[in-house]
Amino acid sequence: MIIVDYLKKSFFVAIWFMFLTFPIMVIRVDSIEGIVEWRWQNMLLVGIGSFILSLVGRYIRIKQEKAARSVQKGRVQQLKSSLLIDPKMYLPGLALISLLVLVFPFLFSVYQTNIMTTALMYIVLGLGLNIVVGLAGLLDLGYVAFYAVGAYCYALLNHHFGLSFWLALPLGALLGALFGIVLGFPVLRLRGDYLAIVTLGFGEIIRLVLENWNEFSFGPSGIANIDRPNFFGIDMSLNESIIALYYMMVCLVLFSIFMVNRLQSSRIGRAWIALREDEIACQAMGIDKTKTKLTAFALGATWAGMVGVIFAAKTTFVNPASFTFLESAIILSIVVLGGMGSIVGVVVGALVLILLPEYLRAFSDYRMLLFGAIMVIMMVFRPQGIIGNVRKSYLFQEKKG
Amino acid sequence: MKPILEVNKICMDFGGLRALDQLDLEVKSGEIVALIGPNGAGKTTFFNCVTGIYAPTSGNIFLHDMKGKSSSLNGLKPNKITEKGLARTFQNIRLFSEMTVLENVMVGCHCRSTASILGALFRNKKTVQEEEEIVRKSYGILQKVGISEYVNEMAKNLPYGAQRRLEIARALATEPLLLLLDEPAAGMNPQETKELDELIVRLRDNEGLSILLIEHDMKLVMSLSDRIFVMDYGRKIAQGTPAEVRENPVVIKAYLGDDS
């Protein structure tokens, strides 16, 4: 009975939408030829699309209402998170996603693949910053500095010594970590707002140095003609190398997820979270604050350094304009929007924040505005991010007697 | 019995204000000692000096462990002091609220475990074993303190009394010789206070812990402690057994004021 009712309602919604969009979607007046074109297939698409959306929307709403009616608040949250880890949905979902990821370059154009590679890079950047901001709770507004360090590491070494990409990758990571520690030392005593300001300054210093130290970094004109990564010595066309880079990025994303996942449920990960939650209590538990902060900075910066190298190889050109504060803000938005401390959240956040503006090119000028609006709305309605962090739980069997 | 904690003539100045003045105190092994005094007497400041949150202006603090080894706690960082065997709870509960109850206790095991970043990444046999050991030990402590039913609950969702207990559980996970409890019964109802009393005695008897506590609940203090130190305006004004302290006119004056 209820189902029929919902089908009926959705049907009327579809009709309504078809009517509303009729003038723009169906009629096209060709003023040159002087004819009117009737595009009825568009009407059909609008109808089907709105029908399905309306039905799905209703379904979700019923489910939420049901959950809210039957149990108290604590259980609802459990239900929501269990939807994500429900084994019935989880395995096929994972299989579908991996299949999609694997065949993506063959389904879509090289242009699309290139955009996806960018999104994957931001996933790794987000995962790296997630260690610093999400886990250790150190608000870092200059994260892009480490990204720049990695990019210039490869660009300069390749330019001067022809260093290969594969050697530069670990070197960039190492250099990133080193700079992480360099930044970490002076800010050990700072927290919260003060830390944010100092890291912001650090990010700008790196950019300004790159911009003004012409002898070293070739100033604003940057470094061009950086080698693309070479895969097993195979000669590749531009398109092939873009696809190869895509697969490499997929591997790096998987690798990062694997690593960060292991880190966050380890002894050191717990120390980071404890540091975030309460610095004094954390020390009273015997955790070395200095060491914990430095490892967070260093490990976070490692990923940025690595992605920096890939960025330089992907665009074959670097200049300081790529490493402005806006980049830091985007990466931070990914972490906050996705859900601080949550790996899935960061992945979703990166895809949303990078792909959306790419596909909404028209909004490109309003990106900052859009960011602001999304952030404000998110912070008001869902401060824990799209996907909140779920802590690992343990099962114990009570011994009797 | 020999003292486990020995504090000699400790002073703590905040600018021109002397919060602790030439304070002497010692806790013997296996003893429950209470530190009492009116509000603002400097009790928590004393705790903060001993646990390294403040560096005392002058004076010496020594910890003597079971093997007869002595170490000075002066100028050590809080985490080093915890490593030496001194754990504390906080007056205003400071749990890691976004972590589960079990994880809170697992954090306490930090200084007694060694897994490095590489260990975490590669999960070698040693790390896995250590991790299992930590989980088992933490759960054991939760059972001991009586809050194992909340094991996977977020710490912030716990009822007040259980939060206080979790603070104790977390401190126990650091394997201390001496446990400092800062107002453990604050805000508890009589039933909860009674259970806390039993818990503290049990910790002393079964675990061989020495305990130094700050408390305002005089009933609890009198029934629990072997000895009592009374502070006022940063100075020690009396010490002795509960019976002695109760009769001491100086103490009565500090609490109730002069009747002249």
Side-chain angles (χ1 to χ4, degrees), chain A residues 204-276:
Chain A
E204 285 301 288
I205 288 171
I206 295 274
R207 189 179 64 79
L208 287 171
V209 165
L210 291 174
E211 203 147 297
N212 293 300
W213 193 1
N214 285 323
E215 298 80 34
F216 173 72
S217 65
F218 303 98
S221 53
I223 302 165
N225 292 325
I226 304 166
D227 289 340
R228 285 176 188 284
N230 183 315
F231 292 94
F232 314 111
I234 305 167
D235 256 340
M236 276 189 289
S237 69
L238 179 63
N239 285 357
E240 279 168 349
S241 96
I242 285 174
I243 292 172
L245 199 67
Y246 168 81
Y247 283 117
M248 203 204 86
M249 229 22 248
V250 170
C251 292
L252 188 65
V253 167
L254 291 178
F255 175 71
S256 315
I257 291 177
F258 177 77
M259 289 299 206
V260 174
N261 187 35
R262 286 204 154 180
L263 278 175
Q264 73 174 7
S265 58
S266 73
R267 172 174 176 264
I268 186 86
R270 282 193 301 270
W272 284 335
I273 300 172
L275 186 74
R276 175 189 77 190

Side-chain angles (χ1 to χ4, degrees), chain A residues 267-288:
Chain A
R267 172 174 176 264
I268 186 86
R270 282 193 301 270
W272 284 335
I273 300 172
L275 186 74
R276 175 189 77 190
E277 293 295 312
D278 192 316
E279 212 172 294
I280 287 176
C282 163
Q283 282 181 289
M285 290 299 107
I287 292 170
D288 189 341

